[in-house]
Amino acid sequence: MSELKNDVFLRALLRQPVSRTPVWIMRQAGRYLPEYREVRAQAGDFMSVCRNPELACEVTMQPLRRYELDAAILFSDILTVPDAMGLGLYFETGEGPKFERPVQTADAIRSLRVPNVEKQLGYVFDAVRTIRRELDGKVPLIGFAGSPFTVGTYMVEGGSSREFPTIKRLAKEAPEVLDHLMDVVAETTTEYLNAQIDAGAQAVQIFDTWGAALEADEFRRFSLASMQKIVEGLTRDNDGRKVPVILFTKGAGRLLRDLAQVDCDALGVDWTTSLADARGYVNDKVALQGNLDPATLRESPEVIRKGVADTLASYGDGPGHVFNLGHGITPDIDPDHLGALVDAVHELSPAYHS
Ligand code: 1CP
């Protein structure tokens, strides 16, 4: 493998000294980019892009051609895992993800099995290898998966949900059935992430978008515990370098304290918690990633620059900060506004590193 030319992202995740704060953006490949929309239109739909390693590689590279980002992220989705478990993932135009065969009863959940990950998800590992070749050591590649609880919400509700009625009923009425769902998804996800690491992923992020919708004790039993199981089973070394693990529970707030006890390297923080407070919660045990409100990107370049300045100041001096939004970039953003954000991080962050 070619040597990594820019390791500022990996170093920051391990809280090692850097000369500036690294930056990447959740959903940096996606619908706000006209060149992405073109590839997706030609492919026909979203999953056809994911299943084709050349196209997945192309859209992964698109944001790196426009902006000086410090990491690439595999183009895929968290719902490839339940798709591989036989639930039949599909996307209807203009709508969110759906499953042909959701698992809504205790019996359906009890009969779920860990699939043959290599066979069912081989297209993802092919994409990882293709992207690593194309990156040629420019920046590291992030692999990812959803948390078992977040993935579980889609499996049980059959698609996107606002209130999570079915999975919340399980948590309250049949918690041991939900434990089983978490176990099967965690085991599958551990194999899935390890195969991404084997194929060349140099860091991994677990997206826990909905875990904080649970009560605190339920969050610990279902979401946190299942992420902990995954982290315990991960290969932490690739090509002689440590593979850092990032956990991102959206809306975690004070639960960041609990998350920092998991054996991960970094925690994602959304904009409802300041980085200064987050740093206090985790006591510098782990690095932090975030946390500009994605809505800021709708504003002028001056307002964006001020938002970047405030975010950097909130984290303060020293290593251990990876700049990002507090959640994914939305499809309505002007691509030039993201350029203003990245430039501001490059210009303003060296002052925080001696
Ligand atoms: O082109 C399209 O219409 C599809 C839109 C889209 C995209 C660009 C989906 C469907 N997934 C993706 C890619 C994706 N999804 C990435 C790629 C890498 C990158 O960041 O550039 C990643 C990391 C995800 C992760 C993901 N998918 C999450 C967790 C992160 C988050 O944003 O909260 C979740 C919850 C999903 C489910 C999903 N897939 C797609 C959509 C629109 C959704 C969200 C649906 C919902 O809100 O419930």
Side-chain angles (χ1 to χ4, degrees), residues 97-134:
K98 292 223 168 64
F99 286 109
E100 282 163 25
R101 293 171 291 280
V103 282
Q104 286 166 320
T105 63
D107 282 348
I109 289 172
R110 285 203 190 92
S111 42
L112 282 171
R113 296 286 173 270
V114 176
N116 182 329
V117 166
E118 200 56 54
K119 191 162 157 230
Q120 299 295 327
L121 292 162
Y123 64 93
V124 177
F125 316 132
D126 287 342
V128 170
R129 282 184 284 266
T130 306
I131 297 163
R132 277 295 304 273
R133 221 176 297 128
E134 184 73 21

Side-chain angles (χ1 to χ4, degrees), residues 24-32 36-37 40 45-47 49-50 59-60 63 73-79 89 91 94-97 144-146 150-151 153-154 159-161 164 205-210 248 250 327-329 331:
W24 72 280
I25 299 297
M26 289 189 275
R27 295 278 175 106
Q28 63 191 25
R31 283 174 294 176
Y32 74 103
Y36 167 79
R37 295 197 298 268
R40 194 189 58 170
D45 60 22
F46 169 71
M47 278 312 288
V49 182
C50 296
V59 296
T60 298
I73 179 161
L74 163 70
F75 191 82
S76 189
D77 197 75
I78 63 167
L79 301 177
L89 173 66
F91 287 84
E95 280 183 61
F144 72 91
T150 294
V151 170
T153 65
Y154 294 90
S160 302
S161 175
F164 313 107
Q205 174 155 325
I206 300 177
F207 287 89
D208 184 29
T209 310
W210 307 125
F248 173 49
K250 183 168 179 260
H327 197 199
I329 184 170

Side-chain angles (χ1 to χ4, degrees), residues 5-331:
K5 291 157 196 136
N6 173 353
D7 66 354
V8 66
F9 169 67
L10 297 182
R11 292 181 60 83
L13 288 175
L14 299 175
R15 311 190 67 261
Q16 294 166 357
V18 288
S19 56
R20 61 179 178 78
T21 305
V23 53
W24 72 280
I25 299 297
M26 289 189 275
R27 295 278 175 106
Q28 63 191 25
R31 283 174 294 176
Y32 74 103
L33 288 177
E35 58 268 37
Y36 167 79
R37 295 197 298 268
E38 198 172 303
V39 169
R40 194 189 58 170
Q42 276 173 10
D45 60 22
F46 169 71
M47 278 312 288
S48 302
V49 182
C50 296
R51 287 183 198 280
N52 180 320
E54 270 69 44
L55 293 183
C57 176
E58 165 59 22
V59 296
T60 298
M61 299 303 292
Q62 286 173 346
L64 301 174
R65 294 188 193 118
R66 279 186 185 251
Y67 315 110
E68 279 190 73
L69 297 162
D70 296 301
I73 179 161
L74 163 70
F75 191 82
S76 189
D77 197 75
I78 63 167
L79 301 177
T80 54
V81 166
D83 187 52
M85 296 172 93
L87 275 68
L89 173 66
Y90 67 99
F91 287 84
E92 265 164 17
T93 12
E95 280 183 61
K98 292 223 168 64
F99 286 109
E100 282 163 25
R101 293 171 291 280
V103 282
Q104 286 166 320
T105 63
D107 282 348
I109 289 172
R110 285 203 190 92
S111 42
L112 282 171
R113 296 286 173 270
V114 176
N116 182 329
V117 166
E118 200 56 54
K119 191 162 157 230
Q120 299 295 327
L121 292 162
Y123 64 93
V124 177
F125 316 132
D126 287 342
V128 170
R129 282 184 284 266
T130 306
I131 297 163
R132 277 295 304 273
R133 221 176 297 128
E134 184 73 21
L135 278 171
D136 194 27
K138 187 175 190 272
V139 292
L141 176 62
I142 306 167
F144 72 91
S147 73
F149 181 76
T150 294
V151 170
T153 65
Y154 294 90
M155 294 173 75
V156 168
E157 308 294 344
S160 302
S161 175
R162 286 180 78 88
E163 306 284 348
F164 313 107
T166 320
I167 202 161
K168 286 198 167 194
R169 174 164 298 151
L170 281 173
K172 292 173 202 313
E173 288 191 353
E176 64 297 337
V177 175
L178 188 51
D179 284 334
H180 178 73
L181 178 63
M182 298 297 95
D183 283 348
V184 185
V185 179
E187 210 182 306
T188 308
T189 304
T190 307
E191 279 190 37
Y192 180 53
L193 286 174
N194 279 337
Q196 291 184 32
I197 293 166
D198 280 349
Q202 290 147 297
V204 293
Q205 174 155 325
I206 300 177
F207 287 89
D208 184 29
T209 310
W210 307 125
L214 290 167
E215 289 178 32
D217 284 342
E218 293 173 335
F219 169 76
R220 293 186 190 98
R221 171 166 175 174
F222 301 111
S223 201
L224 181 80
S226 58
M227 290 195 283
Q228 165 89 52
K229 274 188 194 151
I230 294 170
V231 173
E232 282 167 2
L234 290 182
T235 312
R236 299 294 274 270
D237 180 277
N238 183 339
D239 259 353
R241 257 193 114 112
K242 188 164 184 206
V243 177
V245 177
I246 310 160
L247 303 184
F248 173 49
T249 294
K250 183 168 179 260
R254 286 183 172 76
L255 293 169
L256 288 166
R257 280 201 194 106
D258 299 82
L259 284 157
Q261 301 312 311
V262 176
D263 185 24
C264 62
D265 301 286
L267 294 175
V269 183
D270 75 299
W271 62 92
T272 61
T273 301
S274 73
L275 289 179
D277 283 348
R279 209 172 168 178
Y281 294 151
V282 307
N283 218 350
D284 279 344
K285 183 172 183 286
V286 292
L288 297 176
Q289 175 175 280
N291 73 341
L292 186 66
D293 182 353
T296 311
L297 285 177
R298 290 193 193 100
E299 305 308 317
S300 66
E302 294 69 39
V303 172
I304 293 167
R305 191 179 167 88
K306 166 95 174 30
V308 169
D310 291 347
T311 304
L312 290 168
S314 180
Y315 186 84
D317 289 324
H321 181 208
V322 172
F323 201 99
N324 207 311
L325 298 175
H327 197 199
I329 184 170
T330 54

